[in-house]
Amino acid sequence: MSGGKMLRQIHFWILAALTTVLLSGCGSEYLVLNPKGPVAETQYNLIIISTILCAVIIVPVLALTAFIVYRYRDKPDNKAPYKPEWAHNTALEAIWWGIPVVIIAILGYFTVRDTYVLKESPNKEVAPMTVQVTALDWKWMFTYPEQNIATVNHLEIPVGVPVHFQISAEAPMNSFWVPSLGGQVYAMAGMATELYLQADEPGEYAGFSSNFSGEKFAHMQFKVVAKPKEEFDQWVKEVKGTSPAMTKEDYNELKKQGLSEKKLYSAFPEGLFEEIVQRYSHGHDMDHVMKKQPAPTGDKSKETSQETQQSTDMSNMHGMDHSSMKH
């Protein structure tokens, strides 16, 4: 065996050994490819469609490349024809331009369709719950405006209920990501971005910071606990009954650079999230994100309460009319 061939084989086995070692650190569960909710399911389907459409181009190109390298390799007895003056071929031009155009059009259709779907609540029959997310250095703060509780590096949500996340930052730009439930969305100071997620089954899901934001950003991890609605309500009661209330001083300590353990608060300063957003918004209108969510089509209780309120308003108006006529 020649020295050059032996050296190439040594290189091959070294690379194979390094690949084995590196891949051994990969877990058996790929979070992005194991969706646990309707948002993640939609994105997973889009990934599969995109992969198939890309493979339609990539696989034939790689196969043709290998064939051409082999067929037209330089050797003395190679009988492949040599045509340096090869003429224009309309049929081939139509193939290698037409197929990619068609594939891009198909991929564009599915991408646009799913993008608009993901901007809305995944479940129109259930009222979404709002959770406000604030990225700090280097921790995540979650405030629940409807329950009036707050948590740090810990998030609990009810199963089967869409969660409307309002996301901002009082720190360098970051990215909020729960791979098992959906894709990432950026958290930016002075802006409020939004994201809908929903867990279809109870469990614990990993949350991450997926954007470099400083020395210890890799430690900006949190746990998402999805549990049945009754258990979630019980958890809220426990937090309100056993945890301290967050003060402005507590928040000022939280926003300082540094890591933090899991924290629970039975209350938080009113309008804290809105204040954080407006502090750096420079007059930008964020009402399109922070507005109240409409009642779901299947929520009869809210429809009834709205009708009752309308009746009360009408009665008050009639009373005012009679009163005006008497005067």
Side-chain angles (χ1 to χ4, degrees):
M1 181 183 295
S2 64
K5 188 172 182 181
M6 181 179 292
L7 185 60
R8 286 195 298 272
Q9 287 192 357
I10 292 173
H11 286 169
F12 170 78
W13 288 111
I14 290 174
L15 288 175
L18 287 174
T19 303
T20 303
V21 171
L22 292 174
L23 290 178
S24 65
C26 298
S28 59
E29 181 180 23
Y30 297 90
L31 300 180
V32 175
L33 303 180
N34 188 21
K36 298 297 184 181
V39 175
E41 184 74 29
T42 299
Q43 294 174 339
Y44 170 78
N45 291 335
L46 183 58
I47 291 173
I48 298 301
I49 292 171
S50 302
T51 302
I52 293 173
L53 291 174
C54 290
V56 171
I57 296 178
I58 294 173
V59 172
V61 168
L62 293 178
L64 284 172
T65 300
F67 170 76
I68 290 171
V69 169
Y70 177 80
R71 180 69 178 86
Y72 297 97
R73 68 194 186 281
D74 184 20
K75 67 175 190 175
D77 59 343
N78 194 337
K79 304 301 183 183
Y82 175 62
K83 299 180 179 179
E85 303 299 330
W86 189 54
H88 170 79
N89 190 307
T90 303
L92 289 178
E93 290 281 354
I95 291 173
W96 59 55
W97 283 106
I99 293 177
V101 168
V102 171
I103 290 175
I104 290 172
I106 297 172
L107 182 59
Y109 164 76
F110 285 108
T111 301
V112 171
R113 184 198 66 177
D114 290 346
T115 298
Y116 278 98
V117 167
L118 295 173
K119 287 290 291 181
E120 301 178 352
S121 173
N123 188 347
K124 299 295 191 301
E125 300 297 321
V126 180
M129 183 184 78
T130 299
V131 175
Q132 298 162 333
V133 183
T134 304
L136 304 172
D137 275 337
W138 289 279
K139 55 195 78 75
W140 292 99
M141 182 180 74
F142 304 99
T143 51
Y144 296 69
E146 296 159 10
Q147 290 77 22
N148 191 30
I149 61 172
T151 63
V152 175
N153 291 339
H154 184 78
L155 178 65
E156 300 211 8
I157 58 175
V159 171
V161 176
V163 182
H164 179 227
F165 290 97
Q166 299 171 345
I167 305 165
S168 190
E170 188 155 26
M173 185 173 76
N174 218 298
S175 184
F176 174 79
W177 190 28
V178 186
S180 296
L181 301 182
Q184 64 86 27
V185 168
Y186 286 110
M188 295 171 281
M191 295 187 66
T193 52
E194 62 181 339
L195 173 69
Y196 282 100
L197 296 180
Q198 178 178 315
D200 282 343
E201 56 187 72
E204 293 186 358
Y205 308 110
F208 302 95
S209 160
S210 61
N211 190 79
F212 180 77
S213 60
E215 178 186 3
K216 299 179 181 178
F217 90 99
H219 298 281
M220 286 185 67
Q221 301 180 12
F222 57 94
K223 182 183 297 183
V224 181
V225 180
K227 54 181 58 176
K229 185 66 167 60
E230 298 76 14
E231 295 182 18
F232 172 78
D233 293 338
Q234 182 61 35
W235 172 77
V236 171
K237 291 180 181 179
E238 291 176 1
V239 172
K240 296 184 78 68
T242 59
S243 304
M246 178 192 294
T247 63
K248 280 292 183 70
E249 291 74 20
D250 293 328
Y251 175 71
N252 290 334
E253 285 296 318
L254 279 174
K255 71 179 184 180
K256 293 179 181 178
Q257 282 192 342
L259 301 178
S260 175
E261 299 295 330
K262 166 185 169 182
K263 293 181 183 293
L264 304 175
Y265 296 96
S266 60
F268 62 92
E270 185 178 357
L272 178 61
F273 180 79
E274 291 77 7
E275 179 184 327
I276 294 169
V277 175
Q278 292 169 4
R279 185 175 302 148
Y280 308 101
S281 66
H282 305 293
H284 294 299
D285 182 13
M286 291 289 109
D287 286 345
H288 65 287
V289 174
M290 296 190 289
K291 65 184 179 180
K292 292 183 178 180
Q293 298 301 308
T297 55
D299 196 336
K300 302 300 183 183
S301 60
K302 293 203 173 184
E303 293 177 4
T304 304
S305 62
Q306 289 176 352
E307 292 174 359
T308 304
Q309 183 63 39
Q310 290 175 357
S311 300
T312 304
D313 292 342
M314 291 296 292
S315 299
N316 291 337
M317 290 176 62
H318 285 307
M320 292 175 63
D321 292 342
H322 287 308
S323 165
S324 301
M325 292 174 63
K326 289 179 181 179
H327 287 297

